Amino acid sequence: MKHWPSQLFPIILLALLAALSFWLQKTVDQEEPRHDSKLRHDPDAIAENFIARRFNEDGQVKYRLTAPYLVHYPDDDSSELKSPVLTSYRPEAPPVTVSSKNGKVTSKGETVYLWDDVILTRAATPTRPEMMARMPDLTAKPDAGTAFTNNAVEITQGQSWVKGIGANLDNNNATLVLQSQVTGLYIRPKALK
């Protein structure tokens, strides 16, 4: 008569040791989490009185971005700005300046997000007074010369004003289009002497 329990014991013990060895190997081989700054959103550079200029093909300044304080983050190559001012230039046209309390620039400067009391100003010309637009935020594509917002916009030029929701700005064609709920008052400017 064979004793199955006595013959099964070594097989069970071997299986248990194999399972324990497998578990121990997996535990030891687990990679430690890396504490690399590329995985965290930690700044790697801080600049004060920051100025960046982009030039067109003719060597003329296309736009200028300034800020008294800039923090750069290496994980996504973005920069956050305090009190940024973005000024766009076109030949034979007045400059357009956008300022806000806060801003963010994406990698390679393709997009500039501005928020908290955004003010867009087109300088006065000999035939038109200064134009000023106020909005809570604006997304600008400086290389393309365009910007947009989906929020409320209030524009004043001289005594005239217009309000609306959402706006698209194309600095290349000198247009600002309000998207919806547009109301306003136009007062003809007095003839220049």
Side-chain angles (χ1 to χ4, degrees):
M1 181 167 184
K2 292 188 178 183
H3 296 285
W4 286 102
S6 63
Q7 291 177 349
L8 222 48
F9 179 72
I11 295 173
I12 292 172
L13 186 60
L14 247 117
L16 186 60
L17 282 172
L20 185 60
S21 297
F22 181 75
W23 173 80
L24 189 58
Q25 185 66 37
K26 282 291 187 188
T27 304
V28 170
D29 285 346
Q30 249 182 358
E31 191 173 315
E32 286 288 319
R34 290 178 34 190
H35 299 288
D36 188 357
S37 64
K38 284 278 194 187
L39 301 176
R40 299 186 323 250
H41 196 64
D42 292 336
D44 68 340
I46 296 172
E48 293 183 358
N49 301 319
F50 167 81
I51 299 173
R53 292 179 184 91
R54 179 74 54 118
F55 297 89
N56 64 17
E57 303 80 28
D58 300 327
Q60 302 296 316
V61 176
K62 184 174 184 175
Y63 66 86
R64 182 182 71 202
L65 179 63
T66 63
Y69 190 76
L70 173 141
V71 179
H72 180 264
Y73 296 93
D75 62 327
D76 61 357
D77 198 25
S78 68
S79 297
E80 292 181 4
L81 307 130
K82 295 293 180 195
S83 303
V85 176
L86 176 63
T87 305
S88 181
Y89 302 95
R90 287 187 312 130
E92 301 176 22
V96 175
T97 302
V98 184
S99 64
S100 67
K101 291 182 181 173
N102 294 295
K104 181 177 181 177
V105 179
T106 61
S107 176
K108 299 177 185 166
E110 295 168 348
T111 306
V112 179
Y113 299 100
L114 303 159
W115 67 92
D116 291 337
D117 196 26
V118 177
I119 300 172
L120 182 144
T121 306
R122 190 213 63 233
T125 68
T127 58
R128 296 185 304 188
E130 175 184 79
M131 181 196 75
M132 183 179 294
R134 294 179 179 270
M135 61 210 80
D137 62 68
L138 185 72
T139 300
K141 305 272 189 183
D143 286 324
T146 61
F148 70 91
T149 184
N150 293 322
N151 291 304
V153 179
E154 181 179 329
I155 303 168
T156 58
Q157 184 172 328
Q159 295 180 323
S160 300
W161 60 269
V162 65
K163 295 179 183 179
I165 305 294
N168 288 322
L169 170 72
D170 184 348
N171 195 42
N172 304 309
N173 298 313
T175 60
L176 192 151
V177 178
L178 295 173
Q179 299 301 312
S180 66
Q181 301 178 27
V182 179
T183 60
L185 175 66
Y186 176 75
I187 298 175
R188 183 185 302 267
K190 294 180 182 178
L192 299 173
K193 295 180 181 183

